[in-house]
Amino acid sequence: MDSLGTLSVKYDKACKKIGDLKTRLYDCNEELKSKKQKLEYRNNKIAKLKQLCLEKDEMIRNLNDEINRLKDKIEYLNAISNHDSTTVGIPTASTPIGKAKYNSSINSREPTDRKIGGQPGHSKSELSIPDDIDEEIEYVADDATECPKCGSHELVFTGKTKAVYEKTISIKPINLKKVFYQYQCGSCGTTFFLGLKPNERSACHYGTAVQAVGLSLMNTCNVPINKVKTFFEGITNGEISPSEGYLAKLPMIASKKLSEFRIVLKNLMLQRTLVYWDDTVININTKKGCLRFYGDETLSYYTAHEKKDLEGIEEDKVLTLLTEEQKTMHDHNKVNYNSKFKFGNLECNQHLQRDLKKIAIDTKHDELLELKDLISDTIHKRKEAINKGETRFSDEFIENFNKKVNDILNRAEKRNKKDYDAYFGRSEKTLIKRIRDYYDNYFAWVSDFTLPTTNNLSERGLRVVKSHMRSSGQFQNIQNAQYYADAKTYIETCRKNGINEIYAMIRLYEGDPITVKEIFSGEDLS
């Protein structure tokens, strides 16, 4: 057994060893702590680097998205810049600067290799020699006449002459004196001047021809009032110079004489099986108003309103009185499908073709352009069939047309979903849905040759209104706009039936306007 001293030594060694172990353990813990701190630092750094990478990836994605958006924007702006009269059928007046103007209603012929002008074998159009000669001018040489080649005055008449006839006009003011004899009725004692009209009571006034020409210049030629005055002064050497105030009253005077004409004409229109209609925005004393057209190939009926809304349509009492047997042609005016109306609807295919072409150009999707070409080709075939005396397409042709349209629309829908355009995709989808929803209204003309394909008649009726706005700027008030509409109703209806406008206006200002019964003598006006 070890002695106490030996045990003490061993204990001291053990304690020392334990102390060394504690020191080593402490050093290990410190080293471990240091390594943990370094590891944590590295982990934090790695986390920060990962976060930075994620942020950079997000930034790259955002930049790529922005690049794609800008690319789409560039395509959109390029598409918009390519919109002109030749691509999307915008009005020629709205054609951007530097773009070609084109009006398909004026010239829709396809280009050929032939030279411009009369073609071989084309008969020359010349004026015929008049039977009656009103004035004759002779060109006879005098002492001052020179030879056109050498300037010599030694000219000898050869005995030959050459006659050239000329049709021209001569404007000569007429100072007309009218003498009205007064009579007294032997029965009641009333005295009156025979033939004297209310507008002739002043000592001197302008005649109906001046009034007719003045209104025609303002209403049809869209000449501003001050230039109408200048025109009269120019052609009469200043003898006729109506004031601007006098000219401004001419539409009001005409309107007051046309109340019965408008009533009878509207009643006649309400008997037609087909009525075209459209409206356009006009300016009324710095505010937006509306001028509306109703009519067909033989009559025109215009109305003016302060707002372009259903209330104005109801005030016109045209669409509200049409029956189920009647139809209207319009430019996809959705108000026509109001439950208050009973008539059938026809949609304009020219507007549809414009929309198809525009969206096809914008989206670069050929399906809608294919549909446009199909419609154009079918309209062309219909014209050929009508010229041959045919009254309809065969059932097989109609069925094949419907299949083709349906196939194109199906492919267009798939293309729209697959290659959705950020700017034009929604418009494309909306147009496809519109064609499906109003299919029968758009393509009724395929199975019935008596129905029109476009609403061009209404557009032509309102085109002159836009020209009037460009020259005059605005109407002073809604009443003046209605005066313009009343005169336009009379003038356009007369012109459509071959009646000279000036003659019709002279009759109007004389108090004896051409009546609807005179124009449509063979129709029932009851």
Side-chain angles (χ1 to χ4, degrees), residues 90-254:
I90 63 175
T92 54
S94 302
T95 301
I97 297 174
K99 295 289 185 179
K101 291 190 176 183
Y102 175 77
N103 191 335
S104 59
S105 63
I106 295 175
N107 184 5
S108 58
R109 294 174 292 181
E110 296 294 331
T112 66
D113 295 332
R114 293 179 293 182
K115 294 181 179 180
I116 297 175
Q119 303 301 313
H122 175 70
S123 59
K124 186 177 180 181
S125 178
E126 292 184 337
L127 292 174
S128 59
I129 297 175
D131 296 329
D132 299 325
I133 305 301
D134 300 309
E135 186 178 345
E136 183 174 327
I137 301 176
E138 293 183 344
Y139 292 84
V140 181
D142 55 22
D143 293 339
T145 307
E146 299 178 350
C147 172
K149 183 175 182 180
C150 67
S152 172
H153 295 281
E154 297 180 6
L155 305 179
V156 179
F157 178 52
T158 63
K160 293 183 179 181
T161 62
K162 179 179 178 61
V164 176
Y165 298 86
E166 181 178 300
K167 287 183 178 290
T168 185
I169 59 174
S170 175
I171 308 296
K172 180 182 178 181
I174 299 174
N175 293 318
L176 181 63
K177 178 182 178 181
K178 293 184 177 181
V179 179
F180 301 96
Y181 287 82
Q182 188 181 64
Y183 292 88
Q184 183 177 26
C185 177
S187 298
C188 65
T190 301
T191 59
F192 59 92
F193 289 96
L194 184 63
L196 182 64
K197 297 182 177 65
N199 64 319
E200 295 177 321
R201 296 189 184 279
S202 59
C204 186
H205 59 269
Y206 290 117
T208 55
V210 174
Q211 295 173 320
V213 173
L215 184 61
S216 180
L217 288 171
M218 292 185 293
N219 195 291
T220 303
C221 303
N222 302 313
V223 180
I225 290 180
N226 61 333
K227 293 185 179 179
V228 174
K229 173 182 171 66
T230 303
F231 171 80
F232 276 119
E233 291 174 342
I235 64 173
T236 63
N237 198 25
E239 289 192 41
I240 295 180
S241 180
S243 68
E244 294 184 21
Y246 174 84
L247 293 171
K249 292 179 181 179
L250 294 181
M252 177 189 66
I253 296 171

Side-chain angles (χ1 to χ4, degrees), residues 9 30 86 105-106 201 223 240 274 276 278-279 296 421 468 475 514 526:
V9 171
E30 287 298 318
T86 63
S105 63
I106 295 175
R201 296 189 184 279
V223 180
I240 295 180
L274 173 65
Y276 297 77
D278 198 0
D279 50 25
D296 59 18
D421 186 278
H468 186 81
F475 293 100
I514 294 173
S526 58

Side-chain angles (χ1 to χ4, degrees), residues 332 334 337 347 433-443:
H332 194 59
K334 295 187 72 172
Y337 297 94
E347 297 274 359
K433 184 178 185 303
R434 189 214 306 172
I435 296 172
R436 288 199 183 280
D437 291 345
Y438 300 95
Y439 188 92
D440 293 338
N441 308 105
Y442 273 117
F443 302 120

Side-chain angles (χ1 to χ4, degrees), residues 358-422:
K358 176 180 179 297
I359 294 180
I361 290 173
D362 292 340
T363 60
K364 296 181 176 59
H365 295 170
D366 297 334
E367 289 79 8
L368 296 186
L369 200 59
E370 183 181 345
L371 179 55
K372 175 192 175 299
D373 292 339
L374 174 62
I375 295 172
S376 298
D377 181 62
T378 306
I379 291 175
H380 179 70
K381 289 179 179 177
R382 190 180 101 137
K383 290 179 180 178
E384 291 181 338
I386 292 174
N387 291 335
K388 293 178 182 178
E390 299 176 12
T391 57
R392 69 187 305 273
F393 286 126
S394 65
D395 292 338
E396 181 181 359
F397 183 96
I398 296 172
E399 183 180 356
N400 187 45
F401 173 83
N402 292 331
K403 286 182 178 179
K404 287 181 178 178
V405 174
N406 189 58
D407 174 65
I408 293 172
L409 292 177
N410 288 337
R411 287 189 281 114
E413 285 176 331
K414 291 179 180 178
R415 182 75 176 274
N416 176 264
K417 293 178 181 178
K418 180 181 178 182
D419 188 17
Y420 191 83
D421 186 278

